[in-house]
């Protein structure tokens, strides 16, 4: 399994679908990331090279808030709204 952003992606899924397992990444964002890294949408997760995994990881860390950071931002936003009524 490929581990990206702290999530193990299922190895038999296409990478386009596998990336949507990461909290904060939907189908369109997954396609955008893959086109930016020049990785074929139909590649299976198990067929990704280490270089390709690193490319995806770099783009995610540089441009997007996902998983823990995104969850924290959402919960802080909700708490702020509750406090102000």
């Amino acid at each position: 399994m490929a581990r990206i952003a702290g999530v193990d992606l299922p190895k038999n899924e296409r990478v386009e679908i596998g990336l949507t397992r990461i909290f904060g990444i939907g189908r369109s964002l997954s396609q955008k990331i893959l086109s930016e890294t020049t990785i074929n949408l139909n590649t299976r997760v198990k067929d990704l090279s280490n270089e390709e995994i690193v490319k995806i990881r770099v783009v995610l860390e540089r441009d997007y808030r996902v998983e823990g950071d995104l969850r924290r931002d959402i919960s802080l936003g909700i708490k702020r709204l509750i406090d102000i009524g």
Side-chain angles (χ1 to χ4, degrees):
M1 285 195 177
R3 188 167 187 81
I4 299 175
V7 177
D8 287 328
L9 303 181
K11 62 182 175 181
N12 288 322
E13 284 187 353
R14 292 181 2 207
V15 71
E16 174 188 14
I17 303 301
L19 284 177
T20 63
R21 300 290 180 108
I22 299 171
F23 185 78
I25 298 195
R27 192 83 173 263
S28 61
L29 196 53
S30 172
Q31 292 170 354
K32 184 177 176 185
I33 291 166
L34 293 173
S35 68
E36 188 175 332
T37 57
T38 64
I39 297 172
N40 187 350
L41 301 174
N42 295 318
T43 304
R44 300 280 173 182
V45 172
K46 65 182 177 185
D47 297 332
L48 287 174
S49 69
N50 286 335
E51 276 183 22
E52 292 171 329
I53 292 171
V54 169
K55 282 182 187 178
I56 293 170
R57 214 176 268 147
V58 166
V59 169
L60 284 176
E61 289 173 0
R62 184 186 65 212
D63 298 335
Y64 303 104
R65 298 187 73 82
V66 293
E67 284 298 318
D69 293 338
L70 182 58
R71 290 179 200 270
R72 185 174 30 263
D73 289 350
I74 291 171
S75 68
L76 287 174
I78 292 170
K79 285 179 186 176
R80 183 183 59 80
L81 289 172
I82 290 172
D83 288 345
I84 63 174

Coordinates of all heavy atoms in Angstrom, one line a residue:
M1 N 0.8 -1.2 0.0 CA 0.0 0.0 0.0 C 0.9 1.3 0.0 O 1.9 1.3 0.6 CB -0.9 0.0 1.2 CG -2.0 -0.9 1.2 SD -3.2 -0.5 2.5 CE -4.4 -1.7 2.1
A2 N 0.4 2.2 -0.7 CA 1.1 3.5 -0.7 C 0.5 4.4 0.4 O -0.7 4.5 0.6 CB 0.8 4.2 -2.1
R3 N 1.4 5.0 1.2 CA 1.0 5.8 2.3 C 1.2 7.3 1.9 O 2.4 7.7 1.7 CB 1.8 5.5 3.5 CG 1.3 6.1 4.8 CD 1.9 5.5 6.0 NE 1.3 6.0 7.2 CZ 0.2 5.6 7.7 NH1 -0.5 4.7 7.1 NH2 -0.3 6.1 8.8
I4 N 0.1 8.0 1.8 CA 0.2 9.4 1.4 C -0.6 10.2 2.4 O -1.8 9.9 2.7 CB -0.3 9.7 0.0 CG1 0.5 8.9 -1.0 CG2 -0.3 11.1 -0.4 CD1 0.0 8.9 -2.5
A5 N -0.1 11.3 2.9 CA -0.8 12.1 3.9 C -1.3 11.4 5.1 O -2.4 11.6 5.6 CB -1.9 12.9 3.2
G6 N -0.6 10.3 5.5 CA -1.0 9.6 6.7 C -2.1 8.6 6.4 O -2.6 8.0 7.3
V7 N -2.4 8.3 5.1 CA -3.5 7.4 4.8 C -2.9 6.3 3.9 O -2.2 6.6 2.9 CB -4.6 8.2 4.0 CG1 -5.7 7.2 3.6 CG2 -5.2 9.3 4.9
D8 N -3.3 5.1 4.2 CA -2.9 4.0 3.3 C -3.9 3.9 2.2 O -5.1 3.7 2.5 CB -2.9 2.6 4.1 CG -1.7 2.6 5.0 OD1 -0.6 3.1 4.6 OD2 -1.8 1.9 6.1
L9 N -3.5 4.0 1.0 CA -4.4 3.9 -0.2 C -4.5 2.5 -0.6 O -3.6 1.7 -0.6 CB -3.9 4.7 -1.3 CG -3.6 6.2 -1.1 CD1 -3.1 6.9 -2.3 CD2 -4.8 6.9 -0.6
P10 N -5.8 2.0 -0.9 CA -6.0 0.7 -1.4 C -5.2 0.4 -2.7 O -5.3 1.2 -3.6 CB -7.5 0.6 -1.6 CG -8.1 1.8 -1.1 CD -7.0 2.8 -0.9
K11 N -4.4 -0.7 -2.7 CA -3.5 -0.9 -3.8 C -4.1 -1.3 -5.1 O -3.5 -1.1 -6.1 CB -2.5 -1.9 -3.4 CG -3.0 -3.3 -3.1 CD -1.9 -4.2 -2.7 CE -2.5 -5.6 -2.2 NZ -1.5 -6.5 -1.8
N12 N -5.4 -1.8 -5.1 CA -6.0 -2.2 -6.4 C -6.9 -1.2 -7.0 O -7.4 -1.4 -8.1 CB -6.8 -3.5 -6.2 CG -5.9 -4.7 -5.9 OD1 -4.8 -4.8 -6.6 ND2 -6.2 -5.6 -5.0
E13 N -7.0 0.0 -6.4 CA -7.8 1.0 -7.0 C -7.0 1.9 -7.9 O -5.8 2.0 -7.8 CB -8.4 1.9 -5.9 CG -9.5 1.3 -5.1 CD -10.2 2.3 -4.2 OE1 -9.7 3.4 -4.0 OE2 -11.2 1.9 -3.6
R14 N -7.7 2.5 -8.8 CA -7.0 3.5 -9.7 C -6.6 4.7 -8.8 O -7.3 5.0 -7.8 CB -7.9 4.0 -10.8 CG -8.3 3.0 -11.8 CD -9.2 3.5 -12.9 NE -9.4 4.9 -12.7 CZ -10.5 5.6 -13.1 NH1 -11.4 4.9 -13.8 NH2 -10.7 6.8 -12.9
V15 N -5.4 5.3 -9.1 CA -4.9 6.4 -8.2 C -5.9 7.5 -8.1 O -6.0 8.2 -7.1 CB -3.5 6.8 -8.7 CG1 -3.5 7.5 -10.0 CG2 -2.8 7.6 -7.6
E16 N -6.6 7.8 -9.2 CA -7.6 8.9 -9.2 C -8.6 8.7 -8.1 O -9.0 9.6 -7.4 CB -8.3 8.9 -10.6 CG -9.4 9.9 -10.6 CD -10.2 9.9 -11.9 OE1 -10.1 8.9 -12.7 OE2 -11.0 10.8 -12.2
I17 N -9.1 7.4 -7.9 CA -10.1 7.1 -6.9 C -9.4 7.0 -5.6 O -10.0 7.4 -4.5 CB -10.8 5.8 -7.3 CG1 -11.5 5.9 -8.7 CG2 -11.9 5.4 -6.2 CD1 -12.5 7.0 -8.8
G18 N -8.2 6.4 -5.5 CA -7.5 6.1 -4.3 C -7.2 7.4 -3.5 O -7.3 7.5 -2.3
L19 N -6.9 8.5 -4.2 CA -6.6 9.8 -3.6 C -7.8 10.3 -2.9 O -7.7 11.1 -1.9 CB -6.1 10.8 -4.6 CG -4.6 10.6 -5.0 CD1 -4.2 11.6 -6.1 CD2 -3.7 10.7 -3.9
T20 N -9.0 10.0 -3.3 CA -10.2 10.5 -2.7 C -10.4 9.9 -1.3 O -11.3 10.4 -0.5 CB -11.5 10.3 -3.5 OG1 -11.7 8.9 -3.6 CG2 -11.4 10.9 -4.9
R21 N -9.6 8.9 -0.9 CA -9.7 8.4 0.5 C -9.1 9.3 1.5 O -9.3 9.2 2.7 CB -9.0 7.0 0.5 CG -9.5 5.9 -0.3 CD -10.9 5.5 0.2 NE -11.4 4.4 -0.7 CZ -11.5 3.2 -0.3 NH1 -11.1 2.8 0.9 NH2 -12.0 2.3 -1.1
I22 N -8.3 10.3 1.0 CA -7.7 11.3 1.8 C -8.7 12.4 2.1 O -9.4 12.9 1.2 CB -6.5 11.9 1.2 CG1 -5.4 10.9 0.9 CG2 -5.9 13.0 2.0 CD1 -4.3 11.3 0.0
F23 N -9.0 12.7 3.4 CA -9.9 13.7 3.8 C -9.6 15.0 3.2 O -8.5 15.5 3.4 CB -10.0 13.8 5.4 CG -11.0 14.7 5.9 CD1 -12.4 14.3 5.9 CD2 -10.7 16.0 6.3 CE1 -13.3 15.1 6.4 CE2 -11.7 16.8 6.8 CZ -13.0 16.4 6.9
G24 N -10.5 15.6 2.5 CA -10.3 16.9 1.9 C -10.0 16.8 0.4 O -9.8 17.9 -0.3
I25 N -9.9 15.6 -0.2 CA -9.6 15.5 -1.6 C -10.8 14.8 -2.2 O -11.1 13.6 -1.8 CB -8.3 14.7 -1.8 CG1 -7.2 15.5 -1.3 CG2 -8.1 14.4 -3.3 CD1 -5.8 15.1 -1.7
G26 N -11.4 15.4 -3.2 CA -12.5 14.8 -4.0 C -12.0 14.4 -5.3 O -10.8 14.5 -5.6
R27 N -12.9 14.1 -6.2 CA -12.6 13.6 -7.5 C -11.9 14.6 -8.3 O -10.9 14.4 -9.0 CB -13.9 13.1 -8.2 CG -13.7 12.3 -9.4 CD -13.3 10.8 -9.1 NE -13.3 10.1 -10.3 CZ -14.3 9.4 -10.7 NH1 -15.5 9.3 -10.1 NH2 -14.2 8.7 -11.9
S28 N -12.4 15.9 -8.4 CA -11.9 16.9 -9.2 C -10.5 17.3 -8.7 O -9.6 17.6 -9.5 CB -12.8 18.1 -9.3 OG -13.0 18.7 -8.0
L29 N -10.3 17.4 -7.4 CA -9.0 17.8 -6.9 C -8.0 16.7 -7.1 O -6.8 17.0 -7.4 CB -9.1 18.0 -5.4 CG -8.0 18.8 -4.7 CD1 -7.7 20.1 -5.4 CD2 -8.3 19.0 -3.3
S30 N -8.4 15.4 -7.1 CA -7.6 14.3 -7.4 C -7.1 14.4 -8.8 O -5.9 14.2 -9.1 CB -8.3 13.0 -7.2 OG -7.6 11.9 -7.6
Q31 N -8.0 14.7 -9.7 CA -7.6 14.8 -11.2 C -6.6 16.0 -11.4 O -5.7 15.9 -12.1 CB -8.9 15.0 -12.0 CG -9.7 13.8 -12.0 CD -11.1 14.1 -12.7 OE1 -11.4 15.2 -13.0 NE2 -11.9 13.0 -12.9
K32 N -6.9 17.1 -10.7 CA -6.0 18.3 -10.8 C -4.6 17.9 -10.3 O -3.6 18.3 -10.9 CB -6.6 19.4 -10.0 CG -5.8 20.7 -10.1 CD -6.5 21.8 -9.3 CE -5.7 23.1 -9.3 NZ -6.3 24.1 -8.5
I33 N -4.5 17.2 -9.2 CA -3.2 16.8 -8.6 C -2.4 15.9 -9.6 O -1.2 16.1 -9.8 CB -3.4 16.2 -7.2 CG1 -3.8 17.2 -6.2 CG2 -2.1 15.5 -6.8 CD1 -4.3 16.6 -4.9
L34 N -3.2 14.9 -10.1 CA -2.5 14.0 -11.0 C -2.1 14.7 -12.3 O -1.0 14.3 -12.9 CB -3.4 12.8 -11.3 CG -3.7 11.9 -10.1 CD1 -4.7 10.9 -10.4 CD2 -2.4 11.3 -9.6
S35 N -2.9 15.6 -12.8 CA -2.4 16.3 -14.1 C -1.2 17.2 -13.8 O -0.3 17.3 -14.6 CB -3.6 17.1 -14.6 OG -3.9 18.2 -13.8
E36 N -1.2 17.8 -12.6 CA 0.0 18.6 -12.2 C 1.3 17.8 -12.1 O 2.4 18.2 -12.4 CB -0.3 19.3 -10.9 CG 0.7 20.3 -10.5 CD 0.3 21.1 -9.2 OE1 -0.9 21.2 -9.0 OE2 1.2 21.5 -8.5
T37 N 1.1 16.5 -11.6 CA 2.3 15.6 -11.4 C 2.5 14.8 -12.6 O 3.4 13.9 -12.6 CB 2.1 14.8 -10.2 OG1 0.9 14.0 -10.3 CG2 2.1 15.6 -8.9
T38 N 1.7 14.9 -13.7 CA 1.8 14.1 -14.9 C 1.8 12.6 -14.7 O 2.5 11.8 -15.3 CB 3.1 14.5 -15.7 OG1 4.2 14.1 -15.0 CG2 3.1 15.9 -16.1
I39 N 0.8 12.2 -13.8 CA 0.6 10.8 -13.6 C -0.7 10.4 -14.2 O -1.7 11.1 -14.1 CB 0.6 10.5 -12.0 CG1 1.9 10.8 -11.4 CG2 0.2 9.1 -11.8 CD1 1.9 10.8 -9.9
N40 N -0.7 9.3 -14.9 CA -1.9 8.8 -15.6 C -3.0 8.5 -14.6 O -2.8 7.9 -13.6 CB -1.6 7.6 -16.4 CG -2.7 7.1 -17.3 OD1 -3.9 7.6 -17.2 ND2 -2.5 6.2 -18.2
L41 N -4.3 9.0 -14.9 CA -5.4 8.8 -14.0 C -5.7 7.3 -13.8 O -6.2 6.9 -12.7 CB -6.6 9.5 -14.5 CG -6.6 11.0 -14.7 CD1 -7.8 11.4 -15.4 CD2 -6.4 11.7 -13.4
N42 N -5.4 6.5 -14.8 CA -5.8 5.1 -14.7 C -4.7 4.2 -14.1 O -4.9 2.9 -14.0 CB -6.1 4.6 -16.1 CG -7.4 5.3 -16.7 OD1 -8.3 5.5 -16.0 ND2 -7.3 5.7 -17.9
T43 N -3.6 4.7 -13.7 CA -2.6 3.9 -13.0 C -3.1 3.4 -11.7 O -3.8 4.1 -11.0 CB -1.4 4.8 -12.7 OG1 -0.9 5.4 -13.9 CG2 -0.3 4.0 -12.1
R44 N -2.9 2.1 -11.4 CA -3.2 1.5 -10.1 C -2.3 2.0 -9.1 O -1.1 2.2 -9.3 CB -3.2 0.0 -10.2 CG -4.2 -0.6 -11.2 CD -5.6 -0.6 -10.7 NE -6.5 -1.0 -11.8 CZ -7.8 -1.0 -11.6 NH1 -8.3 -0.7 -10.5 NH2 -8.6 -1.4 -12.6
V45 N -2.8 2.1 -7.8 CA -1.9 2.5 -6.7 C -0.7 1.6 -6.6 O 0.4 2.1 -6.3 CB -2.8 2.6 -5.4 CG1 -1.9 2.9 -4.2 CG2 -3.8 3.7 -5.5
K46 N -0.9 0.3 -6.7 CA 0.2 -0.6 -6.6 C 1.3 -0.4 -7.6 O 2.4 -0.8 -7.4 CB -0.3 -2.0 -6.6 CG -0.9 -2.5 -7.9 CD -1.4 -3.9 -7.9 CE -2.1 -4.2 -9.2 NZ -2.7 -5.5 -9.2
D47 N 0.9 0.2 -8.8 CA 1.9 0.4 -9.8 C 2.6 1.8 -9.8 O 3.5 2.1 -10.6 CB 1.2 0.3 -11.2 CG 0.6 -1.1 -11.4 OD1 1.2 -2.0 -10.9 OD2 -0.4 -1.2 -12.2
L48 N 2.3 2.6 -8.7 CA 3.0 3.9 -8.6 C 4.5 3.6 -8.2 O 4.7 2.8 -7.3 CB 2.3 4.7 -7.5 CG 1.0 5.3 -7.9 CD1 0.4 6.0 -6.6 CD2 1.1 6.3 -9.0
S49 N 5.3 4.4 -8.8 CA 6.8 4.3 -8.4 C 6.9 5.2 -7.1 O 6.1 6.0 -6.8 CB 7.7 4.7 -9.5 OG 7.5 6.1 -9.7
N50 N 8.1 5.0 -6.5 CA 8.4 5.8 -5.3 C 8.5 7.3 -5.7 O 8.1 8.2 -5.0 CB 9.7 5.4 -4.6 CG 9.5 4.1 -3.9 OD1 8.4 3.8 -3.4 ND2 10.5 3.4 -3.7
E51 N 9.0 7.6 -6.9 CA 9.1 8.9 -7.4 C 7.7 9.6 -7.5 O 7.5 10.7 -7.2 CB 9.8 9.0 -8.8 CG 11.2 9.0 -8.8 CD 11.8 9.1 -10.2 OE1 11.1 9.5 -11.1 OE2 13.0 8.7 -10.4
E52 N 6.8 8.8 -8.1 CA 5.4 9.4 -8.3 C 4.7 9.6 -6.9 O 4.0 10.6 -6.8 CB 4.6 8.4 -9.1 CG 5.1 8.3 -10.6 CD 4.4 7.2 -11.4 OE1 4.1 6.1 -10.8 OE2 4.3 7.4 -12.6
I53 N 4.9 8.7 -6.0 CA 4.4 8.9 -4.6 C 4.9 10.2 -4.0 O 4.2 11.0 -3.4 CB 4.6 7.7 -3.8 CG1 3.8 6.5 -4.3 CG2 4.3 8.0 -2.3 CD1 4.1 5.2 -3.6
V54 N 6.2 10.4 -4.2 CA 6.9 11.6 -3.6 C 6.3 12.8 -4.3 O 6.1 13.9 -3.6 CB 8.4 11.5 -3.8 CG1 9.1 12.8 -3.5 CG2 8.9 10.4 -2.9
K55 N 6.1 12.8 -5.6 CA 5.5 13.9 -6.3 C 4.2 14.3 -5.8 O 3.9 15.5 -5.5 CB 5.4 13.6 -7.8 CG 6.6 13.7 -8.6 CD 6.3 13.4 -10.1 CE 7.5 13.3 -11.0 NZ 7.1 13.0 -12.4
I56 N 3.3 13.3 -5.6 CA 2.0 13.5 -5.0 C 2.1 14.1 -3.6 O 1.4 15.1 -3.3 CB 1.2 12.2 -5.0 CG1 0.9 11.8 -6.5 CG2 -0.2 12.4 -4.3 CD1 0.3 10.4 -6.5
R57 N 2.9 13.6 -2.8 CA 3.1 14.0 -1.4 C 3.6 15.5 -1.4 O 3.1 16.3 -0.6 CB 4.2 13.1 -0.8 CG 3.9 12.9 0.7 CD 4.9 12.0 1.3 NE 4.4 10.6 1.2 CZ 5.1 9.5 1.1 NH1 6.4 9.6 0.9 NH2 4.5 8.4 1.1
V58 N 4.5 15.9 -2.3 CA 5.0 17.2 -2.3 C 3.9 18.2 -2.7 O 3.8 19.3 -2.1 CB 6.2 17.3 -3.3 CG1 6.6 18.8 -3.7 CG2 7.4 16.6 -2.8
V59 N 3.1 17.9 -3.7 CA 2.0 18.7 -4.2 C 1.0 18.9 -3.0 O 0.6 20.0 -2.8 CB 1.4 18.2 -5.4 CG1 0.1 18.9 -5.7 CG2 2.3 18.3 -6.6
L60 N 0.7 17.8 -2.3 CA -0.3 17.9 -1.3 C 0.2 18.8 -0.1 O -0.5 19.6 0.4 CB -0.6 16.5 -0.7 CG -1.5 15.6 -1.6 CD1 -1.7 14.3 -1.0 CD2 -2.9 16.3 -1.7
E61 N 1.5 18.6 0.3 CA 2.0 19.4 1.4 C 2.2 20.8 1.0 O 2.0 21.7 1.9 CB 3.4 18.8 1.8 CG 3.3 17.4 2.5 CD 4.6 16.8 2.8 OE1 5.6 17.4 2.4 OE2 4.6 15.7 3.3
R62 N 2.5 21.1 -0.2 CA 2.7 22.5 -0.6 C 1.4 23.3 -0.9 O 1.4 24.4 -0.5 CB 3.5 22.5 -1.9 CG 3.9 23.8 -2.5 CD 4.6 23.8 -3.8 NE 3.6 23.3 -4.8 CZ 3.9 22.5 -5.8 NH1 5.2 22.2 -6.1 NH2 3.0 22.1 -6.7
D63 N 0.4 22.7 -1.5 CA -0.7 23.4 -1.9 C -2.0 23.2 -1.2 O -3.0 23.9 -1.4 CB -1.0 23.1 -3.4 CG 0.2 23.5 -4.3 OD1 1.0 24.4 -3.9 OD2 0.4 22.9 -5.4
Y64 N -2.2 22.1 -0.4 CA -3.5 21.8 0.1 C -3.4 21.5 1.6 O -2.5 21.0 2.1 CB -4.0 20.5 -0.6 CG -4.1 20.7 -2.1 CD1 -3.2 20.2 -3.0 CD2 -5.1 21.5 -2.7 CE1 -3.2 20.4 -4.3 CE2 -5.2 21.7 -4.0 CZ -4.3 21.2 -4.9 OH -4.3 21.4 -6.2
R65 N -4.6 21.7 2.3 CA -4.7 21.3 3.6 C -5.6 20.1 3.6 O -6.7 20.1 3.2 CB -5.5 22.4 4.4 CG -4.7 23.7 4.5 CD -5.3 24.8 5.4 NE -5.1 24.4 6.8 CZ -4.0 24.7 7.5 NH1 -3.0 25.3 6.9 NH2 -4.0 24.4 8.7
V66 N -5.0 19.0 4.2 CA -5.8 17.7 4.2 C -5.6 17.1 5.5 O -4.8 17.5 6.4 CB -5.2 16.8 3.1 CG1 -5.6 17.3 1.7 CG2 -3.8 16.5 3.2
E67 N -6.5 16.1 5.7 CA -6.5 15.2 6.9 C -6.5 16.0 8.2 O -7.4 16.8 8.4 CB -5.3 14.3 6.9 CG -5.5 13.1 6.0 CD -6.6 12.2 6.4 OE1 -6.8 11.9 7.6 OE2 -7.4 11.8 5.5
G68 N -5.5 15.9 9.1 CA -5.5 16.5 10.4 C -5.6 18.0 10.4 O -6.4 18.6 11.2
D69 N -4.8 18.6 9.6 CA -4.9 20.1 9.5 C -6.3 20.6 9.1 O -6.8 21.6 9.7 CB -3.9 20.6 8.5 CG -2.4 20.4 8.9 OD1 -2.2 20.2 10.2 OD2 -1.5 20.4 8.1
L70 N -6.9 20.0 8.1 CA -8.2 20.4 7.7 C -9.2 20.1 8.7 O -10.1 20.9 9.0 CB -8.5 19.6 6.4 CG -9.9 20.0 5.7 CD1 -10.0 21.5 5.4 CD2 -10.1 19.2 4.5
R71 N -9.2 19.0 9.4 CA -10.1 18.6 10.4 C -10.0 19.7 11.6 O -11.0 20.1 12.1 CB -9.9 17.2 11.0 CG -10.2 16.1 10.0 CD -9.9 14.8 10.6 NE -9.8 13.7 9.7 CZ -10.8 13.0 9.3 NH1 -12.0 13.1 9.8 NH2 -10.6 12.0 8.4
R72 N -8.8 20.0 11.9 CA -8.6 21.0 13.0 C -9.2 22.4 12.6 O -9.9 23.0 13.4 CB -7.1 21.1 13.3 CG -6.8 22.0 14.5 CD -5.3 22.0 14.9 NE -4.3 21.8 13.8 CZ -3.8 20.6 13.6 NH1 -4.1 19.5 14.3 NH2 -2.9 20.5 12.6
D73 N -8.9 22.8 11.4 CA -9.5 24.1 10.9 C -11.0 24.1 10.9 O -11.6 25.1 11.3 CB -9.0 24.4 9.5 CG -7.5 24.7 9.4 OD1 -6.9 24.9 10.5 OD2 -7.0 24.8 8.3
I74 N -11.6 23.0 10.5 CA -13.1 22.9 10.5 C -13.6 23.0 11.9 O -14.6 23.7 12.2 CB -13.5 21.6 9.8 CG1 -13.2 21.7 8.3 CG2 -15.0 21.4 10.0 CD1 -13.4 20.5 7.5
S75 N -13.0 22.2 12.8 CA -13.5 22.2 14.2 C -13.3 23.6 14.9 O -14.2 24.0 15.6 CB -12.9 21.1 15.0 OG -11.5 21.3 15.2
L76 N -12.2 24.2 14.6 CA -12.0 25.6 15.2 C -13.0 26.6 14.6 O -13.5 27.4 15.3 CB -10.6 26.0 14.9 CG -9.5 25.4 15.7 CD1 -8.1 25.8 15.2 CD2 -9.6 25.6 17.2
G77 N -13.3 26.4 13.3 CA -14.3 27.3 12.7 C -15.7 27.1 13.3 O -16.4 28.1 13.6
I78 N -16.0 25.8 13.6 CA -17.3 25.5 14.2 C -17.4 26.1 15.6 O -18.3 26.7 16.0 CB -17.6 24.0 14.2 CG1 -17.8 23.6 12.7 CG2 -18.8 23.7 15.0 CD1 -17.9 22.1 12.5
K79 N -16.3 25.9 16.4 CA -16.2 26.4 17.8 C -16.3 27.9 17.8 O -17.0 28.5 18.6 CB -14.9 26.0 18.4 CG -14.9 24.5 18.8 CD -13.6 24.2 19.5 CE -13.6 22.7 19.7 NZ -12.3 22.2 20.3
R80 N -15.7 28.6 16.8 CA -15.7 30.0 16.8 C -17.2 30.5 16.5 O -17.7 31.4 17.1 CB -14.8 30.5 15.6 CG -14.7 32.1 15.5 CD -13.9 32.5 14.4 NE -14.3 32.0 13.1 CZ -15.3 32.5 12.3 NH1 -15.9 33.5 12.8 NH2 -15.6 31.9 11.2
L81 N -17.8 29.8 15.6 CA -19.2 30.2 15.2 C -20.2 30.0 16.4 O -21.1 30.8 16.7 CB -19.7 29.4 14.0 CG -19.1 29.9 12.7 CD1 -19.5 28.9 11.6 CD2 -19.4 31.3 12.3
I82 N -19.9 28.9 17.2 CA -20.7 28.6 18.4 C -20.5 29.7 19.4 O -21.5 30.2 20.0 CB -20.4 27.2 18.9 CG1 -21.0 26.1 18.0 CG2 -21.0 27.0 20.3 CD1 -20.5 24.7 18.3
D83 N -19.3 30.1 19.6 CA -18.9 31.1 20.6 C -19.6 32.5 20.3 O -20.0 33.2 21.2 CB -17.4 31.3 20.7 CG -16.7 30.2 21.4 OD1 -17.5 29.3 22.0 OD2 -15.5 30.0 21.3
I84 N -19.6 32.8 19.0 CA -20.2 34.1 18.6 C -21.8 34.1 18.5 O -22.4 35.1 18.3 CB -19.6 34.7 17.4 CG1 -19.8 33.9 16.2 CG2 -18.1 35.0 17.6 CD1 -19.3 34.5 14.9
G85 N -22.3 32.9 18.6 CA -23.7 32.7 18.6 C -24.3 32.8 17.2 O -25.4 33.1 16.9

